Amino acid sequence: ILQMERALTMYEHDPNVKLVILKGIGKAFCAGGDVVRMVQVATAGHWSFTAVYYKKQLVLDYLLATYKKPVVRFSVVLINGIVMGGGAGLSMHGSFRVVTENTVFAMPEAMIGYFPDVGASYFLSRLPGYYGEYLGLTGARIDGAEMLACGLATHFVLSKDLQSLEDDLLEVPSSDTATIYEHIKKYMHQAHPNHDSYCKRFEIVNKCFSKKTVEQILLSLENEVSGGADKWVAKAISSMKSASPTSLKIFLRSVRVITKCFIYNYEWWQPSCLEQVTEEMVEQVFSKVEDDDWEEFEPKNTRNLVETCGVVQISFKCVVG
């Protein structure tokens, strides 16, 4: 994380840098941060270590989302393989988000007692209809073709052509958007979502996930199942019922009403059911931390957030216990 922050900061002030390409090496673009390990550390009493870790990640995501230099507003992110959690924070703020037939996207945080973070309340809230609510509440996995269909990706390229595309981009003479687009366009491939993909699910997603509360969403999904809906609906119900109730409610609120992106929290799996999660509990997550040892996160440099990505304010905190 620190190496990437240092490199991106250096590129931001280097007039010779025309374009930034972000990619992964191996089977994944980025499968996310080690949330489970951070929870283990925090529950062992070392909450400050966890807080520092997430602060570093927050600073990096904030840098990517608010980069002053046009080069990263026009960055190219080559997403081949798994992109989940923290990987989404690294990739979804790029202007050109290239996916392949190997790409798998998910925000599964609610399944482990957390909730979609790294700016997810910004980029998921801007998907068509209520598809962002569906992805964040269920942790559903979607492929590259579906990412393109719902707007998480901007281009689909076959994985065998990625190296050629990268080599071509290295010859880009400027950071002009049209020029970069023309280079990527040469490698674009037709994407075909699978049979139970976004296109066929969209109507039910909008009908169910537009409800005001998590309980109402679940009830609406259950009504669809009783009416003979596709298997993905039952899978969505199962995922939500196995997730942290608190996490589900926090995410639903953040994706709909909050304008402060990059809010990082910890909420343990108590209460164990949706009915016991009160508004006061949810409100606590969004309130100021009262702790003499707590240092509020303040960006080093004020950036024009509204102009770059619509993020109005940034804050950081860790709620333990």
Side-chain angles (χ1 to χ4, degrees):
I1 290 172
L2 291 177
Q3 289 175 342
M4 292 181 68
E5 182 194 353
R6 284 193 292 266
L8 286 166
T9 301
M10 179 179 68
Y11 299 155
E12 186 175 31
H13 300 97
D14 186 345
N16 295 314
V17 174
K18 300 292 190 299
L19 176 70
V20 169
I21 300 174
L22 197 61
K23 66 176 183 177
I25 297 177
K27 295 182 179 180
F29 170 80
C30 176
D34 195 349
V35 178
V36 173
R37 178 58 179 159
M38 291 302 105
V39 170
Q40 292 171 344
V41 170
T43 53
H46 306 294
W47 69 267
S48 59
F49 178 87
T50 300
V52 170
Y53 169 82
Y54 275 106
K55 184 174 182 179
K56 291 175 182 178
Q57 185 181 26
L58 172 60
V59 170
L60 176 60
D61 292 328
Y62 179 71
L63 177 64
L64 285 165
T66 62
Y67 216 60
K68 287 182 178 179
K69 195 171 187 177
V71 61
V72 165
R73 293 192 202 172
F74 307 141
S75 63
V76 178
V77 187
L78 305 179
I79 311 172
N80 188 34
I82 295 172
V83 54
M84 296 183 182
L90 297 176
S91 58
M92 291 299 108
H93 305 295
S95 295
F96 298 97
R97 302 179 298 280
V98 180
V99 295
T100 75
E101 75 280 5
N102 299 326
T103 307
V104 178
F105 173 94
M107 296 297 288
E109 287 81 0
M111 306 304 112
I112 55 174
Y114 195 31
F115 66 93
D117 57 344
V118 296
S121 61
Y122 174 76
F123 59 77
L124 289 182
S125 70
R126 281 150 180 79
L127 299 188
Y130 293 87
Y131 215 66
E133 280 88 336
Y134 162 64
L135 294 177
L137 290 173
T138 67
R141 297 188 177 196
I142 61 174
D143 59 19
E146 195 166 347
M147 289 179 69
L148 185 67
C150 73
L152 285 171
T154 59
H155 299 82
F156 187 94
V157 172
L158 293 178
S159 57
K160 67 180 182 65
D161 295 328
L162 279 182
Q163 189 58 56
S164 297
L165 169 59
E166 183 178 348
D167 294 340
D168 200 347
L169 288 171
L170 294 177
E171 303 301 320
V172 171
S174 72
S175 57
D176 176 67
T177 310
T179 302
I180 297 171
Y181 172 77
E182 289 301 320
H183 279 259
I184 299 176
K185 185 179 179 181
K186 292 187 292 184
Y187 300 91
M188 288 173 57
H189 191 272
Q190 185 69 35
H192 300 286
N194 59 35
H195 66 282
D196 63 344
S197 68
Y198 159 81
C199 297
K200 293 185 177 180
R201 280 188 287 208
F202 192 64
E203 183 178 350
I204 295 178
V205 165
N206 274 352
K207 178 181 178 181
C208 297
F209 288 85
S210 60
K211 305 302 181 184
K212 185 177 181 180
T213 67
V214 178
E215 292 91 337
Q216 291 170 348
I217 290 173
L218 272 171
L219 179 60
S220 183
L221 288 169
E222 288 168 345
N223 289 337
E224 292 295 326
V225 169
S226 63
D230 292 338
K231 291 182 179 179
W232 71 266
V233 180
K235 188 175 181 179
I237 294 171
S238 176
S239 296
M240 291 179 66
K241 287 188 174 181
S242 65
S244 162
T246 305
S247 298
L248 294 177
K249 290 202 171 188
I250 289 172
F251 170 71
L252 187 61
R253 174 174 173 180
S254 66
V255 79
R256 289 185 175 176
V257 303
I258 209 156
T259 55
K260 302 176 182 179
C261 265
F262 301 113
I263 296 179
Y264 291 70
N265 315 80
Y266 270 117
E267 281 295 325
W268 309 133
W269 220 302
Q270 298 172 350
S272 60
C273 64
L274 290 166
E275 292 76 13
Q276 294 177 4
V277 181
T278 66
E279 282 299 313
E280 289 74 18
M281 293 174 183
V282 176
E283 188 64 36
Q284 180 189 8
V285 174
F286 299 95
S287 62
K288 182 179 176 62
V289 174
E290 299 294 344
D291 191 316
D292 293 338
D293 295 326
W294 185 256
E295 181 180 347
E296 290 291 329
F297 171 70
E298 293 292 341
K300 294 180 180 179
N301 298 307
T302 302
R303 297 167 181 270
N304 190 337
L305 304 183
V306 176
E307 177 184 341
T308 54
C309 68
V311 181
V312 177
Q313 186 176 345
I314 180 170
S315 61
F316 172 86
K317 69 177 178 177
C318 178
V319 180
V320 181

